[in-house]
Amino acid sequence: AKLIFTISLLLGTTITISSNHWIMAWAGLEINTLAILPLISKSHHPRSIEAATKYFITQATASALVLFSSMTNAWYTGQWDITQLTHPTSCLILTSALAMKLGLVPFHFWFPEVLQGSQLTTGLLLSTVMKLPPVSLLFMTSHSLNPTLLTCMAILSTALGGWMGLNQTQIRKILAFSSISHLGWMTIIISYNPKLTLLNFYLYMLMTTAVFLTLNTIKASKLPTLTTTWTKSPALNAMLLLTLLSLAGLPPLTGFLPKWLIIQELTKQGMTTAAVSISLLSLLGLFFYLRLAYCSTITLPPHTTNHIKQWHTNKPTHSSIALLTTMSTALLPISPLITTII
């Protein structure tokens, strides 16, 4: 059954990305939603069932809005082509629909709750693969959408993603707010340089996958648990520290590259205020990444309480995690090659 759901996920994503017709794109989104629902509710815990229900309601609403937007556009212009979205009402409805699909502010409330109710592997799918079809639709329609609206939503997303992640102790919720914050960076530049959005998204996928797989290996889902995992696999924890700092966008790590290029592009477009605002707001996110990094590596558990230290494991780290963490930290020197390819 898991194989069928995984194939359906890949099929739905491929259909949406490769389609030119709105109905095909909508069908791909629906296949995706229906394939991920059993994976969310797999553990039969009430929280998982609640997460699956919330996810279904939100995604069904967003899909209905995508269909409504495309039908309105077809009604007025006679065009079903995705790139020919010209009617202003359709553009506005589509912006809301894609924001709901992605979890952009002000449609972000469902995402942390759903991620908290899922397992780490399902959370990884929700944060990466499930974002691919809406991002591709945003990329294809970027020339039609309102840049001012997108910029406002992006700055709000970065602000709220950083602000709401500050007092969290659940790692999955922290990663959900981190995702919202990163989506803000992707959305602000989509109208001016869509390729930069894709570059940011690919690197975000790379770093988030590395973090989720590492956390899944060390079996940590809360900050108190993370403080005792350094004994289990010290090398992996050290790489987790670097990957988290890369996700925060600190130089000289990979995550600095998209932020640097986006700030440069915004300045070229004369949007210095937006560039300064989004850079300052990303400092909020830096705080909770540092908190995670501090808990995972730098701190020792307090000796006043009885902390049970975990046994050191001799099991070798999976090669995919090793490759992903290395790429998440060491791609900045080859940034000229990456920008040439993109």
Side-chain angles (χ1 to χ4, degrees):
K2 202 181 280 187
L3 179 67
I4 293 168
F5 296 139
T6 313
I7 291 169
S8 301
L9 268 179
L10 292 172
L11 177 70
T13 306
T14 312
I15 288 172
T16 304
I17 291 170
S18 57
S19 60
N20 286 320
H21 198 285
W22 275 114
I23 297 291
M24 285 299 286
W26 171 80
L29 289 170
E30 287 299 302
I31 291 168
N32 249 4
T33 304
L34 293 174
I36 196 81
L37 284 172
L39 297 176
I40 299 172
S41 58
K42 188 172 63 176
S43 65
H44 300 298
H45 190 275
R47 193 180 275 274
S48 301
I49 308 297
E50 184 189 333
T53 311
K54 283 178 181 172
Y55 186 77
F56 174 72
I57 291 168
T58 316
Q59 298 301 308
T61 310
S63 294
L65 283 175
V66 166
L67 205 55
F68 180 52
S69 159
S70 54
M71 283 172 69
T72 310
N73 190 62
W75 179 269
Y76 281 103
T77 62
Q79 282 287 350
W80 279 100
D81 197 300
I82 292 176
T83 51
Q84 302 295 322
L85 191 78
T86 49
H87 195 263
T89 312
S90 298
C91 294
L92 196 62
I93 297 167
L94 185 77
T95 309
S96 312
L98 293 180
M100 204 179 284
K101 281 267 174 205
L102 288 165
L104 273 170
V105 173
F107 305 104
H108 65 288
F109 296 103
W110 63 273
F111 189 52
E113 298 297 324
V114 169
L115 214 61
Q116 179 57 33
S118 316
Q119 294 173 338
L120 278 167
T121 42
T122 314
L124 169 61
L125 289 175
L126 285 168
S127 301
T128 54
V129 179
M130 298 302 290
K131 295 271 197 302
L132 199 52
V135 165
S136 64
L137 286 178
L138 201 60
F139 179 79
M140 286 190 275
T141 56
S142 56
H143 57 277
S144 312
L145 305 178
N146 185 347
T148 315
L149 178 64
L150 289 174
T151 305
C152 291
M153 286 169 82
I155 290 172
L156 281 171
S157 295
T158 315
L160 273 169
W163 200 264
M164 293 174 78
L166 290 179
N167 63 344
Q168 300 294 335
T169 56
Q170 297 286 341
I171 296 173
R172 280 165 296 185
K173 274 198 174 177
I174 292 177
L175 289 171
F177 288 120
S178 142
S179 178
I180 292 166
S181 181
H182 275 272
L183 282 167
W185 279 90
M186 292 174 217
T187 312
I188 200 165
I189 203 69
I190 189 101
S191 300
Y192 307 102
N193 193 339
K195 286 184 178 177
L196 268 186
T197 298
L198 285 188
L199 171 66
N200 194 347
F201 183 65
Y202 295 148
L203 291 178
Y204 161 75
M205 273 180 74
L206 174 77
M207 294 181 287
T208 306
T209 307
V211 170
F212 267 103
L213 291 179
T214 306
L215 290 170
N216 194 42
T217 307
I218 59 180
K219 298 286 179 283
S221 61
K222 295 193 286 287
L223 284 182
T225 321
L226 203 58
T227 55
T228 58
T229 52
W230 60 275
T231 50
K232 193 175 182 181
S233 180
L236 193 58
N237 267 41
M239 284 310 287
L240 177 62
L241 163 78
L242 289 174
T243 312
L244 285 166
L245 294 180
S246 181
L247 205 51
L250 285 185
L253 303 166
T254 307
F256 178 61
L257 170 63
K259 286 188 166 59
W260 173 29
L261 292 174
I262 286 170
I263 290 168
Q264 191 179 353
E265 185 63 34
L266 285 173
T267 316
K268 276 185 196 169
Q269 298 289 344
M271 295 176 67
T272 319
T273 316
V276 170
S277 307
I278 203 163
S279 308
L280 289 173
L281 289 167
S282 67
L283 290 174
L284 290 168
L286 175 62
F287 178 82
F288 63 71
Y289 288 122
L290 281 173
R291 190 161 162 233
L292 273 173
Y294 185 81
C295 283
S296 65
T297 322
I298 307 164
T299 186
L300 291 174
H303 297 293
T304 50
T305 55
N306 296 323
H307 272 270
I308 300 168
K309 289 185 181 176
Q310 298 188 24
W311 287 99
H312 190 297
T313 177
N314 289 323
K315 202 165 63 173
T317 304
H318 200 278
S319 54
S320 62
I321 299 176
L323 181 67
L324 285 165
T325 47
T326 309
M327 286 172 72
S328 300
T329 51
L331 286 186
L332 191 66
I334 59 161
S335 50
L337 174 66
I338 294 169
T339 47
T340 310
I341 293 167
I342 290 286

